[in-house]
């Protein structure tokens, strides 16, 4: 008997089909969505056709106390092992507590720069909340603003840099003597902090 038709595997009248990625081997050419010869790929977060959402981060300002503390809030799509950002308008002295403290991270604050890192590469888990509570010794400007500054970044333990959005600004009112959150007022005589019109 002659064989007039063979499949891609060479079997006479067989039913193996060439899927352009291996004869009758669909699994060898499936993309992450299960499509033969498809173009779907996993992103850096392991999500098929994802948009790297695990590498998104957001920082914002939280509760402010003029006597010397300011919360910095976070929303992280993935685990974070280090961060740097700037907070202007305050004489920063330290950062303590929050998720950074829970993760055993060291947070330093000086000038306008806040730096958080871990000596053992421990990470803050994905999620949101209070990142750290900044302490300051004084208010130095009419407003406090959170920015990434020139070298700001949020990173994971593998060195991936997160796409980071920052927001937050706090205006600091001053009294007539120029003291932020002061209580001096102008009296009837136009004197700042004066006693008013003398009776005599």
């Amino acid at each position: 008997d002659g064989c007039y038709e063979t499949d891609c595997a060479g079997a006479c009248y067989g039913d193996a089909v060439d899927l352009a990625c291996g004869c009758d081997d669909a699994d060898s050419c499936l993309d992450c969505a299960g499509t033969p010869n498809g173009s779907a790929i996993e992103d850096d977060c392991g999500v098929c056709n994802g948009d790297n959402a695990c590498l998104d981060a957001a920082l914002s300002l939280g509760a402010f106390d003029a006597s010397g503390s300011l919360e910095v809030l976070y929303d992280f799509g993935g685990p974070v092992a280090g961060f740097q950002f700037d907070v202007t308008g305050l004489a920063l002295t330290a950062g303590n507590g929050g998720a950074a403290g829970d993760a055993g991270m060291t947070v330093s604050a000086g000038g306008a720069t806040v730096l958080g890192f871990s000596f053992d590469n421990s990470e803050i888990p994905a999620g949101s909340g209070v990142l750290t509570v900044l302490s300051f010794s004084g208010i130095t400007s009419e407003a406090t603003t959170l920015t990434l500054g020139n070298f700001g970044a949020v990173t994971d333990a593998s060195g991936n840099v997160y796409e980071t959005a920052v927001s937050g600004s706090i205006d600091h009112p001053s009294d007539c003597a120029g003291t932020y959150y002061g209580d001096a007022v102008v009296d009837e005589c136009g004197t700042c902090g004066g006693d008013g019109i003398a009776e005599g």
Side-chain angles (χ1 to χ4, degrees):
D1 287 334
C3 183
Y4 301 103
E5 185 179 322
T6 57
D7 63 13
C8 63
C12 188
Y13 301 109
D15 58 5
V17 178
D18 188 348
L19 298 174
C21 57
C23 181
D24 209 29
D25 186 8
D27 292 340
S28 70
C29 66
L30 298 179
D31 65 9
C32 63
T35 304
N37 299 309
S39 60
I41 58 173
E42 289 188 355
D43 66 6
D44 292 334
C45 307
V47 177
C48 185
N49 263 349
D51 58 2
N52 286 331
C54 71
L55 297 181
D56 287 342
L59 299 172
S60 59
L61 297 179
F64 173 78
D65 184 338
S67 65
S69 69
L70 172 62
E71 291 180 342
V72 177
L73 309 179
Y74 74 96
D75 188 356
F76 295 154
V80 167
F83 55 83
Q84 180 174 325
F85 53 85
D86 286 0
V87 175
T88 60
L90 302 173
L92 300 176
T93 57
N96 295 289
D102 293 343
M105 299 177 78
T106 299
V107 179
S108 63
T113 302
V114 178
L115 176 65
F117 62 93
S118 170
F119 287 107
D120 61 3
N121 245 10
S122 62
E123 295 177 306
I124 299 169
S128 60
V130 176
L131 177 62
T132 189
V133 180
L134 300 176
S135 301
F136 58 90
S137 59
I139 299 169
T140 61
S141 180
E142 297 176 347
T144 288
T145 304
L146 173 65
T147 69
L148 284 179
N150 291 328
F151 305 105
V154 174
T155 61
D156 64 14
S158 300
N160 292 310
V161 178
Y162 285 41
E163 186 70 31
T164 304
V166 295
S167 63
S169 181
I170 299 170
D171 292 329
H172 303 301
S174 58
D175 63 13
C176 61
T179 302
Y180 294 113
Y181 299 97
D183 55 9
V185 295
V186 177
D187 67 8
E188 306 95 286
C189 302
T191 302
C192 179
D195 293 332
I197 299 174
E199 297 180 9

